[in-house]
Amino acid sequence: MARVLSLFRLQPFLALVGSKNPRLCKMSMDSRAREVFAAAVEAVQPDTVVRQSIECKEDSVIINGQRFALKHNLHLVGFGKAVLGMAAEAERIIGDHLVKGVISVPHGIQQTLQQHGKDNLLLKENSCIKVMEGAKHNLPDSDAQKAAEVIKQLASELTEEDLLLVLISGGGSALLPAPIPPISLQEKLDVTRRLAGAGATIQELNTVRRALSFLKGGGLAHYAHPAQVIALILSDVIGDPLDLIASGPTVRSDMWPEEVLSVLERYKLLNSLPASVKEVLGRPGPRWRENKDETDKAENVLNAVIGSNSLALNCAGRRARELGFRPVILSPGVCGDVRSVSRLYGLLAHFGCSREEPPPEIAAEVLRLGPEVGVESWDLCRTMQVLGEGRTEGWGATCLLAGGEPTVELTGNGRGGRNQELALRVGLEMRGLQLPPKGPVFLSGGTDGQDGPTEAAGAITDGGLYEEALAQKLDINNFLTNNDSYTFFSHLSAGQHLLVPGLTSTNVMDVHVLLIPPIPINIR
């Protein structure tokens, strides 16, 4: 009797999530997955996140709950792929209190935005913000270095009466290269490339990169002292660590040469360093000790993350609920090899679609994979509990959401990126499950709209992928071996599985969407 009563109590919930909505019944699972992804991207548009973070009131501006006096004393600098749109919105809000600005943005971004009709992300014609384009192919170059020098000059001229608004987004590190003389830009790039090739972690790379740079590791805030510095950050790094996003130009990091030398020694690069790098690392540390007094520097810097993968997932969850799903956020920090990540999603799909209690081996393997893919055991247990309750209590369809940045081991020279390869591998893992709408759908997409050197952001797949490819004489294993997921999805059903949102103007890593249909309730 209690079992029957629980079903009656659930009816209001089922009506709430839209199970009776005729419009939703006509939408395919594929379409709903795309809408959930679109909601995630929309939530972190550069103008949107700035508009939600800055409140201007006559002679003051409120940012992150703190009020700052405006006396036509605000200067602006920025660097990153999304910074042009951030700067345009900031100028609209602040008005004539903005005295001067310089931003370093990717080569060709203004023309691209114009072609896509995104005028809201462009500066007005009489803007006082200077736009400098550089970093072709997301690599630091001479144009980006010139922009960094202009930004440094602007910051160095500020007084204690001034405010410096710093806008930062993904790609900012390449757009703000300022090697410490006599190190050349090419020498610094060679050192960091060799470190990356040797397997150095992002923390180790940044330790070296900051030590060889004027503006990274708090350098920009140092040159802006004694002005008040306010940094608004659109994060593209797992966990939103302030010192790693664009290498932390507004986050104080004391660089000791001994620490940097130990990293270089670990990867056997000490003996092959350029003479200029050895000279800089041979100077006594920390690097700021000889420079101007900064006893109050910490009080003069406010760092605020205004857009992140977590924000995108939360908004995607709200859209999923509107589309008839119960949203469950697994984690915004999924990482590790795509093979392990795809195995995890495949197991969760089988777990969630099982009509009976799944065998304990599935849950055990899910928990074993957790540490490999950056997901806490607690989050995995919570997710499996919700999926289990959905099956036994009849909660209807579920939308499992996650984000992060998995990695791909390159074994070939094909076209594609981590999202398309992840979708391809998850499709294989879901082999044997029913087809939509009775079976699950998986989507993986990069919020920057580009997955590898392709126009696709990712792909959508389901349990019928293997049979679909077999019928069209496409050898999945060959495509995977050659890291050629884009070519595979382009040929599969004339590219219908590809996710191609176009220019997104933002970047908060990747979004993963696993839609699990309602499981019929067995009342015994």
Side-chain angles (χ1 to χ4, degrees):
M1 177 61 72
R3 174 73 171 149
V4 174
L5 288 175
S6 70
L7 295 179
F8 281 107
R9 285 196 294 271
L10 283 167
Q11 292 310 307
F13 175 80
L14 293 175
L16 177 67
V17 298
S19 61
K20 304 296 183 182
N21 189 320
R23 186 181 70 84
L24 294 182
C25 292
K26 294 179 182 178
M27 287 184 66
S28 68
M29 294 273 278
D30 180 293
S31 297
R32 283 188 258 188
R34 291 175 188 270
E35 286 214 16
V36 171
F37 175 77
V41 172
E42 184 62 31
V44 288
Q45 285 298 293
D47 55 339
T48 300
V49 293
V50 168
R51 188 162 54 249
Q52 293 170 345
S53 306
I54 302 178
E55 183 182 1
C56 215
K57 290 188 174 180
E58 296 180 358
D59 59 350
S60 65
V61 62
I62 301 172
I63 298 175
N64 209 37
Q66 295 190 39
R67 185 184 295 269
F68 303 94
L70 288 178
K71 296 176 279 190
H72 303 284
N73 60 338
L74 191 140
H75 299 72
L76 182 150
V77 298
F79 29 91
K81 295 178 180 179
V83 156
L84 184 58
M86 295 171 74
E89 187 63 26
E91 186 172 30
R92 278 191 284 269
I93 295 170
I94 295 164
D96 61 4
H97 284 290
L98 178 58
V99 179
K100 184 180 180 182
V102 181
I103 57 174
S104 178
V105 297
H107 178 78
I109 186 67
Q110 295 177 98
Q111 182 180 354
T112 302
L113 288 171
Q114 287 173 345
Q115 291 171 346
H116 285 78
K118 296 203 171 188
D119 294 340
N120 59 307
L121 301 181
L122 293 168
L123 296 170
K124 56 189 180 182
E125 287 186 10
N126 60 342
S127 173
C128 64
I129 299 173
K130 180 178 182 179
V131 180
M132 303 183 71
E133 297 187 356
K136 282 185 180 179
H137 311 300
N138 201 32
L139 293 173
D141 57 19
S142 58
D143 289 333
Q145 186 169 355
K146 289 175 186 174
E149 291 168 357
V150 175
I151 287 172
K152 175 177 174 283
Q153 183 64 33
L154 185 152
S156 301
E157 294 172 353
L158 301 179
T159 70
E160 61 185 6
E161 299 296 321
D162 293 315
L163 298 175
L164 179 64
L165 182 61
V166 183
L167 305 176
I168 303 173
S169 76
S173 187
L175 286 159
L176 196 73
I180 300 173
I183 302 173
S184 71
L185 182 60
Q186 188 59 50
E187 286 173 332
K188 181 187 166 191
L189 188 58
D190 287 343
V191 170
T192 52
R193 273 179 171 169
R194 289 167 61 199
L195 265 177
T201 65
I202 183 64
Q203 290 83 0
E204 290 170 328
L205 282 169
N206 273 293
T207 295
V208 175
R209 188 184 286 131
R210 289 184 303 224
L212 307 181
S213 304
F214 262 131
L215 299 178
K216 295 177 171 62
L220 179 59
H222 164 79
Y223 285 106
H225 187 82
Q228 171 69 54
V229 176
I230 307 160
L232 301 183
I233 303 165
L234 190 60
S235 172
D236 68 334
V237 182
I238 288 175
D240 309 328
L242 296 174
D243 62 326
L244 293 187
I245 304 168
S247 301
T250 56
V251 182
R252 170 72 176 236
S253 298
D254 284 332
M255 292 297 124
W256 295 86
E258 295 82 1
E259 180 184 7
V260 181
L261 291 171
S262 69
V263 173
L264 294 167
E265 185 177 16
R266 191 173 306 137
Y267 295 99
K268 299 179 173 56
L269 297 179
L270 267 183
N271 295 331
S272 57
L273 290 176
S276 58
V277 173
K278 291 179 180 179
E279 178 185 332
V280 169
L281 294 180
R283 297 169 186 172
R287 58 177 169 168
W288 304 135
R289 178 175 290 168
E290 302 172 358
N291 298 327
K292 56 185 178 179
D293 178 29
E294 293 182 81
T295 54
D296 299 324
K297 66 182 179 340
E299 298 176 7
N300 281 5
V301 180
L302 169 65
N303 289 295
V305 174
I306 62 173
S308 64
N309 192 268
S310 293
L311 174 63
L313 294 182
N314 286 332
C315 292
R318 287 196 286 272
R319 184 61 181 139
R321 189 177 294 279
E322 294 170 357
L323 292 170
F325 296 91
R326 185 183 196 209
V328 180
I329 296 178
L330 173 63
S331 170
V334 175
C335 58
D337 191 275
V338 289
R339 288 171 291 192
S340 298
V341 176
S342 64
R343 180 62 179 157
L344 175 73
Y345 287 135
L347 289 167
L348 290 173
H350 282 274
F351 186 96
C353 292
S354 176
R355 294 194 177 198
E356 305 293 338
E357 185 73 23
E361 292 80 9
I362 292 183
E365 189 173 356
V366 165
L367 293 174
R368 181 189 63 78
L369 283 169
E372 291 184 30
V373 299
V375 181
E376 298 288 342
S377 296
W378 162 252
D379 289 320
L380 291 168
C381 289
R382 170 181 55 81
T383 299
M384 287 190 287
Q385 180 181 358
V386 172
L387 292 175
E389 290 171 350
R391 177 176 56 254
T392 58
E393 302 295 333
W395 275 340
T398 301
C399 174
L400 182 63
L401 293 161
E405 203 164 85
T407 54
V408 173
E409 181 183 352
L410 294 178
T411 55
N413 56 4
R415 299 182 69 203
R418 59 181 178 267
N419 287 285
Q420 292 165 87
E421 182 156 330
L422 177 59
L424 177 50
R425 290 183 180 277
V426 171
L428 287 179
E429 294 286 346
M430 295 195 300
R431 184 184 177 189
L433 294 175
Q434 288 184 281
L435 299 180
K438 294 183 178 181
V441 164
F442 178 79
L443 176 152
S444 183
T447 56
D448 62 354
Q450 189 174 21
D451 187 43
T454 74
E455 78 268 21
I460 305 174
T461 189
D462 55 50
L465 177 81
Y466 179 82
E467 299 298 333
E468 191 177 347
L470 195 64
Q472 297 174 39
K473 295 181 171 54
L474 297 173
D475 189 327
I476 292 179
N477 288 328
N478 282 345
F479 285 104
L480 284 174
T481 300
N482 197 34
N483 299 117
D484 205 12
S485 53
Y486 175 75
T487 303
F488 170 81
F489 279 116
S490 296
H491 291 159
L492 184 72
S493 301
Q496 292 180 8
H497 291 270
L498 285 171
L499 176 66
V500 190
L503 181 70
T504 64
S505 309
T506 190
N507 181 20
V508 293
M509 300 181 292
D510 305 334
V511 169
H512 306 149
V513 181
L514 177 60
L515 301 184
I516 298 176
I519 305 301
I521 307 169
N522 295 321
I523 302 177
R524 297 174 181 173

